[in-house]
Amino acid sequence: MFRYQSLDEDCTLEEEEEEGLVEEEDEIDQFNDDTFGAGAIADDDWQEEHKRLSGLEEQKNSARGGAGTVGGASGDAGHLPSTSSLPLPQHSSQPPPGLGEQGGGDLADALARLILGADPAIARACGPAGPGDRSRGLPAPPSVPQQHHPQAHPHQLPLAGLPPGPPHPSLLSYQQHQHLLRRGGPPMQQVNSHNIWESNMGFGPVSVTPGLVTHMEDNPLLSIIKEVGLPSRPPPMMSEDGRDLSERVPPPRSSSPVIGSPPVRAVPIGTPPKQPMSHAMNHHHQQQVHHPTAVHIRAPVHHRYPPPFPERLSPNTLLNIANSPLCRPPFSAGVGPVLSQLQRAQMLNSQVAGFPRGCQGPPMLPGGGGFRPFFGQPPPHRMGPHPGGPPPNHNHVACPVIRHNTTHLHPQHRRILTQRMQSRGGDRGGRVGDRRSRDPYSNLMTQREKDWVAKIQMMQLQSTDPYLDDYYYQNYFEKMEKKQERDRDSIRKEHTTKLITPQVAKLEHTYRPVQFAGSLGKLTVSSVNNPRKMIDAVVTSRTDDEEKREKQVWNKRRQILYTVEKMYSLLLEVQDFEKRFLLTPEEQREALLEQHKTQTLQLYGSLKEKEWDDRVSDEQCLMIMSVRKGKRLISRLLPFLPQPHAAAVVMGIARNLPTLAKKDRQDQVLCWLVEPVAAVVSSLSSSALTDLLQELQGSDGQLSRVLQNKFGVTLLYLILSEGERMQSSDPNCQLMDDNRWTELVFSVTRELLNVAPSSLAPPLFTPPNLLSLFSRYVDRQRLEQLQEKLQISALSR
Amino acid sequence: LSYLFYSFFKSLVGKDVVVELKNDLSICGTLHSVDQYLNIKLTDISVTDPEKYPHMLSVKNCFIRGSVVRYVQLPADEVDTQLLQDAARKEALQQKQ
């Protein structure tokens, strides 16, 4: 494999190069023993190590300050024959990961330092940040104590855009750095792993990444070996290197061994959208995209989802904020891949969960320059100074409502949610800081990726008739809106209901069998739209007659329920008429109207007496009303019936009230009927009203039974009240034309006076004008008695 | 293609519910979102039953796959049963067609 070759060449060349370097850099010599000799194997005090290296770095910086431009960097790469020789011949495919492999790499290290010093970009970049900012992910405001690694800087370089030459040395340095770092204690290791990812992501050229990955795979191996305590028997690929390798210290175990299969090189079908790339780095990008996923296999599931709280920042975001001004890469070409990482970090926490559709979270950061890789575990010692700084920033930036993206919700729903969130915001405040500081597993997906996934999900929800498919949701919030409007009609709410479920024109999917050109016959390809017939199941629809017969076999109740359900479906159609009417075009409206009328008639038809149009079948009515559902049905049905029909229904109810009351004893839901019945009553003519009152009184003893029932009493009051209203409002009213009304009222009052208070059921409400009614008909004494009784009734409600 | 319960749960977003899973774990939390598979995301969760599931102590938000849910306990006053019945009727009508 090319990797081997490169290793080979690296090794051999390194030897040579060492001499050269030694000549140039005196400082290397003084480190040789420690770095590459005996000291390499022993566990060093990493802190001292750091100091030394940082010291070196500073020297190098001063030495190489004026190197120049990108070209200079390339030139520098040329200076290092080993490195250049490595990549140049095998250019696009020869990453020099092996160099780093060679534990602490004599040459690698030296090269790293050289490059760091030589490359002006690096020098510039690392200058303000201080040489020590190796742990990339940390916010490195200049105030951060300078941490000693020169290695940090190449990280900053979005070298992806460069010609292959420069990346390699830097890559080298990464490897070296990784190794060096790993030689330290656990904190270093953490940063190491972080470095791995950095280096993975920081480099564009395809050549770099595969090597890196494989290199990483080696590292865990080696580190495992080391940990286990085996003599550092190098993995097969390194055996060719001979003695040098045996001396190298295998890097300690990284904190996140790559578990599972190596990252996929080829782009699988259905890859999420690529990151916004500046130019030709697309293929590189995909590699990079995949790397993080390969590496982060062990990330716990729940971290993968963007937290719903935007004020919670991942370390990445923190770093991004802090670092972006500092680490602006000089090479715009490299901004692409780096940006994507940055964007990930940025966008994540402003991301709203649920179905983000085009996240509208506040863009936290501009697409700034610095490269902010994914964190494995933020080294605790490094995170020390940071949580203090950035979080305050974010307090300002992000106190918005938790759900940014509520566009897909009903406006009413949104309102409710915001209110709720605001009220809860206070509780959350204290805990937010806690969340903010620990979220190492955010930023796994960019906004685009999330949108892509969301789009797939939403596509499945597209419907041709959202009102039908999303029935419950839409109606629920409409009702709520109406209720709110009723309660406080001060604010004019928006009436336009956003389409929650996007409505898509219905497409005819006719199956056309697959046919290859030139072939005879057609293939039968079973697909979602054309499923193969598995069993010979035949749908048999039975006629109404058959159904009736069958139902009669079952008990009566089921039949009743069945009838009720049938009526319900009619009712729902009628209910939706208005909506549909608005939607249909002009020409079809007439037809729709007709249909509506028919349906309404049908509804009534199932209730009414066979022959008589203006009378409701008692039997039918009783049957339906004996079930709770039926009562509900009637109550919903009444508003839709035309006046005469509705009146007939109410008559029927009044007529059969005692029976109904008896049957309702268990359910006690007759009172559902009060509202619609009240509406009907108020629309009655005077004669009809009188008739109604008569019906209510009906046979002997009926009234007393009526009075025992809450609904009955309420109905009675309603009638009386209506009569009174008629009388008082319209002097010409015909109520008094015949004596019926007066008679009836008399009998009512008699009954009221005679009935025992205990058996008088309290009504739902007492109309205010009853007293004035009674005052017309009874003398003072009786009036007072009535007053007392009614008040009693009213109070005992 | 039944959206009935998806529609229903959508209206409950933002409310507090208790989800009982098939593995007997009961999780109380605020319904954050739901999808057409009735996967549920809860925020601010707490394990309702005696915390014999200590591994959940640190978890604040969770995603529950729809297929593992046994029950979802809802606040009664947030549910319009009539409307739900109507939705079911419509669904039945649709199925028949």
Side-chain angles (χ1 to χ4, degrees):
Chain A
M1 290 189 40
F2 59 80
R3 197 163 39 82
Y4 288 94
Q5 294 169 3
S6 64
L7 273 170
D8 259 334
E9 291 182 90
D10 288 352
C11 301
T12 47
L13 287 166
E14 273 186 28
E15 318 289 329
E16 296 170 1
E17 189 47 34
E18 216 172 12
E19 327 285 351
L21 286 173
V22 167
E23 283 169 359
E24 288 172 327
E25 299 281 343
D26 293 332
E27 309 87 43
I28 294 178
D29 251 334
Q30 88 197 98
F31 288 91
N32 264 350
D33 286 335
D34 288 346
T35 316
F36 312 121
I41 300 172
D43 242 4
D44 289 319
D45 181 4
W46 60 270
Q47 278 170 332
E48 286 201 28
E49 201 50 50
H50 282 219
K51 277 191 210 134
R52 266 203 301 262
L53 289 168
S54 71
L56 173 64
E57 174 58 22
E58 278 168 3
Q59 289 171 16
K60 278 209 315 184
N61 276 345
S62 54
R64 300 275 181 136
T69 62
V70 176
S74 315
D76 285 336
H79 289 172
L80 315 166
S82 63
T83 36
S84 49
S85 62
L86 286 173
L88 292 177
Q90 310 123 343
H91 210 94
S92 53
S93 59
Q94 310 301 324
L99 276 178
E101 279 275 8
Q102 299 151 26
D106 312 328
L107 190 57
D109 219 29
L111 287 173
R113 274 179 246 124
L114 264 181
I115 291 151
L116 290 174
D119 195 331
I122 300 171
R124 237 185 294 134
C126 71
D133 192 15
R134 355 175 350 239
S135 62
R136 274 327 287 116
L138 300 178
S143 58
V144 169
Q146 302 214 331
Q147 306 179 353
H148 328 286
H149 282 276
Q151 299 107 9
H153 315 294
H155 294 256
Q156 299 174 3
L157 292 183
L159 298 174
L162 299 178
H168 299 292
S170 311
L171 176 59
L172 261 186
S173 60
Y174 278 153
Q175 307 308 325
Q176 300 157 23
H177 301 155
Q178 282 173 356
H179 171 68
L180 283 171
L181 295 171
R182 284 182 197 132
R183 273 193 285 141
M188 287 183 65
Q189 285 176 358
Q190 287 167 346
V191 185
N192 257 341
S193 58
H194 148 97
N195 275 341
I196 296 174
W197 293 327
E198 270 179 48
S199 42
N200 268 347
M201 300 184 197
F203 295 106
V206 178
S207 58
V208 174
T209 42
L212 258 182
V213 173
T214 47
H215 169 55
M216 279 169 47
E217 286 174 322
D218 299 340
N219 284 342
L221 252 177
L222 294 177
S223 54
I224 292 168
I225 292 172
K226 185 194 178 189
E227 278 187 3
V228 169
L230 293 176
S232 56
R233 185 204 129 111
M237 61 213 79
M238 298 188 40
S239 55
E240 302 150 51
D241 292 325
R243 53 155 183 99
D244 278 330
L245 290 179
S246 61
E247 280 186 328
R248 311 269 190 262
V249 178
R253 181 192 189 123
S254 68
S255 57
S256 83
V258 176
I259 306 168
S261 48
V264 177
R265 305 293 153 77
V267 179
I269 303 166
T271 312
K274 302 169 190 164
Q275 320 307 325
M277 292 271 333
S278 45
H279 44 278
M281 305 308 292
N282 281 346
H283 59 293
H284 300 157
H285 231 316
Q286 285 158 15
Q287 300 278 337
Q288 292 172 20
V289 166
H290 287 291
H291 285 309
T293 53
V295 172
H296 306 154
I297 288 170
R298 69 190 180 114
V301 170
H302 73 272
H303 283 305
R304 284 188 180 266
Y305 292 89
F309 311 104
E311 56 266 15
R312 164 182 178 184
L313 290 180
S314 75
N316 285 339
T317 329
L318 294 176
L319 298 172
N320 288 334
I321 294 164
N323 279 326
S324 39
L326 295 176
C327 311
R328 193 160 305 281
F331 322 112
S332 61
V335 164
V338 174
L339 264 184
S340 71
Q341 300 306 323
L342 186 65
Q343 283 172 352
R344 290 182 192 198
Q346 290 173 349
M347 299 307 278
L348 180 87
N349 283 330
S350 51
Q351 175 60 43
V352 172
F355 300 135
R357 293 213 267 164
C359 170
Q360 292 141 20
M364 293 285 209
L365 301 165
F371 168 70
R372 296 291 163 265
F374 184 91
F375 250 82
Q377 286 168 358
H381 69 282
R382 291 181 199 279
M383 280 302 280
H386 309 303
N393 288 341
H394 277 273
N395 270 329
H396 307 311
V397 173
C399 30
V401 172
I402 285 163
R403 290 174 191 275
H404 287 287
N405 188 16
T406 49
T407 51
H408 64 289
L409 295 179
H410 197 282
Q412 188 65 18
H413 198 177
R414 211 186 306 155
R415 237 172 275 126
I416 293 171
L417 279 175
T418 51
Q419 286 165 12
R420 186 180 273 254
M421 288 306 162
Q422 277 159 17
S423 64
R424 285 200 191 169
D427 312 332
R428 298 263 165 83
R431 290 186 279 158
V432 167
D434 187 34
R435 286 194 194 113
R436 231 179 264 149
S437 57
R438 322 177 271 112
D439 194 8
Y441 294 108
S442 49
N443 305 351
L444 285 172
M445 289 172 75
T446 60
Q447 189 49 45
R448 279 183 67 177
E449 286 167 342
K450 289 177 214 154
D451 289 343
W452 172 77
V453 172
K455 227 192 306 170
I456 291 177
Q457 286 185 302
M458 292 311 282
M459 258 193 334
Q460 302 173 43
L461 292 175
Q462 281 171 349
S463 83
T464 51
D465 185 1
Y467 181 72
L468 205 60
D469 286 332
D470 213 6
Y471 185 78
Y472 185 89
Y473 186 75
Q474 306 241 8
N475 283 25
Y476 185 82
F477 284 99
E478 267 181 40
K479 278 196 184 180
M480 200 172 303
E481 264 181 8
K482 282 185 206 144
K483 220 188 304 175
Q484 287 203 350
E485 265 182 34
R486 248 189 300 139
D487 295 342
R488 40 168 179 134
D489 48 8
S490 49
I491 315 160
R492 268 297 62 184
K493 311 244 192 276
E494 32 189 299
H495 286 283
T496 54
T497 306
K498 293 207 181 146
L499 267 186
I500 307 330
T501 319
Q503 180 161 12
V504 165
K506 200 176 233 171
L507 299 169
E508 281 302 315
H509 295 284
T510 48
Y511 170 64
R512 285 221 236 94
V514 173
Q515 192 171 19
F516 289 105
S519 75
L520 207 59
K522 303 173 187 182
L523 290 177
T524 307
V525 175
S526 157
S527 71
V528 166
N529 296 326
N530 174 45
R532 207 179 356 202
K533 202 167 169 187
M534 293 293 287
I535 51 175
D536 280 325
V538 180
V539 175
T540 47
S541 55
R542 295 177 293 191
T543 64
D544 261 353
D545 288 335
E546 284 176 6
E547 271 175 337
K548 265 196 193 142
R549 263 182 273 131
E550 279 223 12
K551 291 304 172 192
Q552 272 161 8
V553 173
W554 298 101
N555 69 38
K556 198 112 198 291
R557 193 181 168 87
R558 287 191 61 166
Q559 186 177 6
I560 297 169
L561 285 172
Y562 183 74
T563 318
V564 170
E565 279 300 327
K566 277 181 87 172
M567 286 182 71
Y568 247 120
S569 32
L570 270 177
L571 174 61
L572 287 176
E573 298 261 323
V574 171
Q575 215 166 23
D576 290 339
F577 163 72
E578 210 178 293
K579 261 213 164 73
R580 278 188 295 155
F581 191 78
L582 293 170
L583 288 174
T584 56
E586 212 41 66
E587 320 80 61
Q588 296 172 8
R589 280 189 176 175
E590 190 62 41
L592 195 64
L593 204 55
E594 282 304 312
Q595 191 191 18
H596 172 65
K597 285 200 187 117
T598 330
Q599 280 170 342
T600 324
L601 276 173
Q602 263 181 308
L603 266 177
Y604 180 68
S606 49
L607 277 176
K608 72 176 173 72
E609 199 77 60
K610 301 296 170 192
E611 309 300 321
W612 306 342
D613 237 4
D614 56 355
R615 195 183 154 97
V616 161
S617 153
D618 285 352
E619 188 191 321
Q620 193 77 350
C621 194
L622 273 173
M623 198 173 69
I624 290 174
M625 300 277 271
S626 58
V627 268
R628 190 164 13 127
K629 234 196 258 189
K631 289 187 265 256
R632 199 46 171 236
L633 172 70
I634 300 289
S635 72
R636 292 178 69 171
L637 174 59
L638 268 178
F640 289 103
L641 288 178
Q643 219 281 344
H645 296 182
V649 172
V650 176
M651 294 278 195
I653 293 171
R655 200 164 43 234
N656 299 297
L657 199 52
T659 337
L660 288 176
K662 197 163 45 136
K663 294 208 171 179
D664 189 47
R665 217 168 288 145
Q666 201 181 23
D667 296 328
Q668 297 293 326
V669 291
L670 258 183
C671 297
W672 282 343
L673 289 164
V674 168
E675 225 182 274
V677 166
V680 175
V681 163
S682 47
S683 65
L684 284 178
S685 65
S686 56
S687 56
L689 194 66
T690 321
D691 288 336
L692 185 59
L693 189 53
Q694 188 153 28
E695 294 276 17
L696 197 60
Q697 298 198 356
S699 49
D700 294 327
Q702 181 166 335
L703 192 57
S704 57
R705 274 178 289 169
V706 165
L707 289 175
Q708 284 172 6
N709 177 264
K710 193 171 195 159
F711 175 69
V713 174
T714 319
L715 183 57
L716 181 64
Y717 283 5
L718 279 171
I719 298 169
L720 292 175
S721 160
E722 179 61 22
E724 174 59 20
R725 191 192 62 81
M726 269 191 212
Q727 266 190 298
S728 50
S729 59
D730 177 13
N732 297 338
C733 107
Q734 299 151 328
L735 205 57
M736 311 302 283
D737 276 359
D738 58 12
N739 273 343
R740 277 199 312 154
W741 176 257
T742 323
E743 290 278 337
L744 290 167
V745 176
F746 273 143
S747 66
V748 165
T749 49
R750 242 175 299 141
E751 190 65 35
L752 277 172
L753 286 166
N754 291 340
V755 80
S758 55
S759 59
L760 189 61
L764 273 174
F765 59 89
T766 314
N769 55 1
L770 274 184
L771 213 52
S772 55
L773 173 87
F774 288 129
S775 61
R776 290 179 203 261
Y777 297 100
V778 292
D779 56 25
R780 189 171 190 80
Q781 187 195 19
R782 292 216 179 86
L783 185 63
E784 279 172 12
Q785 277 179 321
L786 270 174
Q787 200 172 357
E788 226 182 283
K789 246 195 179 152
L790 292 189
Q791 275 180 1
I792 296 170
S793 314
L795 283 171
S796 61
R797 210 183 302 175
Chain B
L1 269 183
S2 163
Y3 295 125
L4 207 177
F5 287 106
Y6 168 55
S7 181
F8 174 65
F9 277 117
K10 267 205 295 184
S11 76
L12 291 173
V13 164
K15 312 286 192 293
D16 288 331
V17 298
V18 179
V19 180
E20 179 174 326
L21 307 181
K22 289 177 181 168
N23 66 359
D24 290 340
L25 175 60
S26 277
I27 304 175
C28 167
T30 312
L31 184 63
H32 182 273
S33 58
V34 66
D35 67 7
Q36 75 263 38
Y37 307 112
L38 304 186
N39 296 328
I40 291 173
K41 266 186 160 187
L42 297 177
T43 58
D44 254 354
I45 61 174
S46 62
V47 180
T48 51
D49 311 337
E51 310 256 354
K52 54 180 180 173
Y53 303 100
H55 60 279
M56 299 290 291
L57 277 175
S58 64
V59 179
K60 295 275 185 299
N61 314 313
C62 72
F63 172 93
I64 303 172
R65 185 183 156 94
S67 64
V68 306
V69 173
R70 186 185 287 143
Y71 301 123
V72 177
Q73 296 168 24
L74 320 162
D77 41 1
E78 302 286 354
V79 174
D80 185 344
T81 37
Q82 264 305 299
L83 197 52
L84 196 54
Q85 284 182 9
D86 286 348
R89 285 179 185 118
K90 284 205 163 253
E91 186 107 3
L93 270 176
Q94 257 187 307
Q95 301 267 343
K96 247 193 260 180
Q97 284 163 10

